[in-house]
C-alpha cells in the first residue's frame, strides 16, 4: 500500500475486476466498496511538515514489556500514580477470584506462597485457565452477559437442560474463538 496514493497501491489495484491476482478471491466488490477503500488509502497521506522528525517505531522484547511501557506512559501523561504492586498473598486471592470465581483454599494458598519459582504467578494463571473452575466461572459470567439475569425461577434450569450451559462450558474449555 502506498499511503495517500491509491492508484499506486497494489491493494487497490487488485480490487479491479480484471486484475490478476484479484482481491478478494472469487468475489467482486461493489463500486461503493472499492471507493471506500480508495478513500481510506488516500486519507493515509502523510500530513507531517517537511523536515519534521517523526518517531521511529519502537521494538520491545515481549508483549508484556510493550504493554507495561504503554501503560506507564499513559499514567505519566495523565499524572496518575499507580498503586503499589500486590504482595503474593493478595495477588493469589485476586487471580483466583477473577479466573476461578472463588478464593483459594488454604492448601492452594500455602502451595503458591511456598513456591520459590520466579514464574509462579504465570504458572498459576496457566493452571487456573486449564481448570474446570475457570470454565464454570466464564459460563456463569457469559450466561448473564449474553442472556441477562433469569426473570423466572425455572429459566436457569431451562438454559442448563437445553444445552446452553454445555455449549458455553465447551467453548471455554476448548478456547473456542
Amino acid at each position: 500500500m502506498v499511503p495517500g496514493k491509491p492508484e499506486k497501491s497494489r491493494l487497490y489495484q487488485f480490487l479491479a475486476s480484471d486484475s490478476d491476482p484479484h482481491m478478494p478471491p472469487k468475489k467482486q466488490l461493489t463500486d461503493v466498496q472499492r471507493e471506500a477503500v480508495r478513500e481510506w488509502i488516500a486519507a493515509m497521506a502523510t500530513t507531517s511538515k517537511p523536515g519534521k522528525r517523526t518517531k521511529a517505531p519502537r521494538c520491545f522484547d515481549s508483549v508484556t514489556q510493550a504493554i507495561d511501557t504503554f501503560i506507564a506512559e499513559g499514567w505519566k501523561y495523565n499524572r496518575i500514580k499507580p498503586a503499589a504492586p500486590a504482595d503474593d498473598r493478595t495477588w493469589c486471592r485476586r487471580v483466583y477470584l477473577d479466573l476461578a470465581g472463588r478464593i483459594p483454599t488454604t492448601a492452594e494458598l500455602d502451595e503458591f506462597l511456598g513456591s520459590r519459582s520466579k514464574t509462579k504467578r504465570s504458572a498459576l494463571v496457566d493452571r487456573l485457565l486449564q481448570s474446570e473452575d475457570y470454565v464454570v466461572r466464564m459460563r456463569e459470567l457469559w450466561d448473564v452477559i449474553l442472556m441477562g439475569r433469569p426473570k423466572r425461577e425455572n429459566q436457569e434450569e431451562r438454559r442448563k437442560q437445553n444445552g446452553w450451559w454445555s455449549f458455553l462450558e465447551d467453548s471455554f474449555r476448548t478456547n473456542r474463538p
Side-chain angles (χ1 to χ4, degrees), residues 158-171:
R158 286 177 50 208
R159 290 179 187 175
K160 182 179 180 180
Q161 290 174 352
N162 291 332
W164 172 243
W165 283 8
S166 295
F167 168 76
L168 287 176
E169 288 176 4
D170 289 340
S171 296

Side-chain angles (χ1 to χ4, degrees), residues 76-126:
K76 184 177 178 181
Y77 178 79
N78 291 300
R79 296 185 187 104
I80 296 172
K81 183 180 178 189
D87 60 54
D88 280 348
R89 179 179 300 276
T90 303
W91 185 89
C92 183
R93 179 181 170 92
R94 288 177 183 173
V95 80
Y96 263 91
L97 285 168
D98 286 344
L99 297 180
R102 63 178 179 82
I103 60 173
T105 64
T106 303
E108 291 167 334
L109 182 60
D110 289 344
E111 178 186 347
F112 177 76
L113 294 175
S115 174
R116 300 253 184 245
S117 172
K118 291 183 179 184
T119 61
K120 69 181 184 180
R121 287 186 175 195
S122 61
L124 178 59
V125 169
D126 290 343

Side-chain angles (χ1 to χ4, degrees), residues 35-54:
E35 180 60 20
V37 172
R38 191 194 70 69
E39 289 175 6
W40 175 65
I41 295 171
M44 289 183 189
T46 56
T47 56
S48 61
K49 297 176 185 175
K52 185 177 180 184
R53 295 180 63 187
T54 58

Side-chain angles (χ1 to χ4, degrees), residues 2 5 21 23 103 123-124 146 163:
V2 180
K5 299 178 182 176
M23 288 297 296
I103 60 173
L124 178 59
L146 296 172

